[in-house]
Amino acid sequence: MSEVMLSVVMTTYNHEPYIAEAIESVLRQRTSFTVEIVVGEDCSTDRTAEIVEGYRRRYPDIIRIVTSKSNVGWRANYRRTIAAARGRYIALLDGDDYYTDDEKLERQVSLLEQEPEIGMCYTRSERRDERGGCSIYPEGACTTTLEAMLKRNPAENCTVVARRALVEQYYAEIRPDQHPEWLTDDLPMWLWFAAKSRYAAIDKPMAVHRVLTYSVSHSPDYRRKIAFCDSLSNISLWYDSVYNNSQMRHSLQRAKQNTALWVLS
């Protein structure tokens, strides 16, 4: 097998209605390099595993499955799937999201190949909810500085391509498993990239992020919603302290309070 240039890391759990569309959107990508799909299947209780296995049998040179005999949880599944990637670059795609532009990966890898100081590249995304609503994210400019990202992360998981060597360096330096209070793994990683390397953004929606009602980040339960928003705020405060000399502490604390009041309202 030729060298794998890019690994699409796809974590999934109970994504039966969506996983085929996610995989097909990667298979449609037009690239000048070799791509593999590494699926982290965390013992779904629906037909997700069966669907993924069907694709693996059809595309054995492209698709590999990482799984176990029992459910390990989102954080461990995320980590083991990334660890199994062999590509020079990593693209992240949750099993309920999908790519919409067939040249997304080609454009992002080409940019990273041309500019070695850039560690990570993201694009705009479409946010689609279960009622058919759609919005473009981020709403404003595609920011690429640490200070802007501390205020709000513009990079949806499904839009990112990053250098695998830097992803592994992030895990070695930050060790997010020692921060169980962090309820997401993507924001800490992107803030670390913003602190350690240059960012790039492609000002075009190239992927869809599904906003599912009962996901961790979009729960209708106000207590879970506040807990998740508090986690995001605390991650930003931690990075501001460690990598930005706490220059934004007061504004981030105000934003945290305002977000909690907005959720309660």
Side-chain angles (χ1 to χ4, degrees), residues 64-219:
R64 293 187 293 125
I65 301 174
V66 177
T67 189
S68 56
K69 293 182 179 180
S70 59
N71 180 278
V72 298
W74 66 269
R75 175 166 278 130
N77 190 36
Y78 198 62
R79 180 67 188 106
R80 69 181 179 180
T81 311
I82 287 176
R86 298 178 297 194
R88 184 184 307 174
Y89 301 101
I90 286 178
L92 297 169
L93 185 65
D94 294 336
D96 54 348
D97 297 336
Y98 60 97
Y99 298 147
T100 55
D101 191 307
D102 294 348
E103 295 187 348
K104 175 187 182 293
L105 301 180
E106 177 72 28
R107 287 186 61 179
Q108 289 180 286
V109 168
S110 177
L111 189 153
L112 290 164
E113 285 282 279
Q114 292 171 22
E115 302 194 47
E117 71 278 9
I118 294 176
M120 177 267 229
C121 174
Y122 74 96
T123 76
R124 290 192 189 274
S125 63
E126 297 175 48
R127 285 186 165 183
R128 295 185 179 272
D129 63 35
E130 293 167 291
R131 297 182 299 275
C134 179
S135 60
I136 303 300
Y137 186 85
E139 297 172 358
C142 292
T143 56
T144 57
T145 66
L146 174 62
E147 290 75 15
M149 290 195 69
L150 285 168
K151 294 179 182 177
R152 190 176 190 188
N153 173 28
E156 300 271 32
N157 221 30
C158 58
T159 71
V160 169
V161 172
R163 298 183 189 276
R164 181 166 65 91
L166 287 179
V167 172
E168 294 297 343
Q169 187 178 335
Y170 156 78
Y171 275 105
E173 182 174 319
I174 301 300
R175 302 185 69 180
D177 58 309
Q178 296 190 359
H179 294 274
E181 73 280 7
W182 293 357
L183 301 182
T184 182
D185 261 11
D186 54 351
L187 176 60
M189 191 183 297
W190 308 150
L191 286 172
W192 184 87
F193 268 82
K196 293 287 188 173
S197 70
R198 277 187 56 203
Y199 248 59
I202 295 177
D203 192 1
K204 179 184 178 182
M206 290 187 164
V208 163
H209 169 59
R210 295 187 200 269
V211 181
L212 301 179
T213 303
Y214 291 99
S215 65
V216 174
S217 55
H218 302 289
S219 172

Side-chain angles (χ1 to χ4, degrees), residues 51-61 63-65:
I51 295 169
V52 172
E53 175 58 24
Y55 275 98
R56 188 201 64 78
R57 287 196 299 267
R58 289 166 59 191
Y59 302 96
D61 295 333
I63 298 175
R64 293 187 293 125
I65 301 174

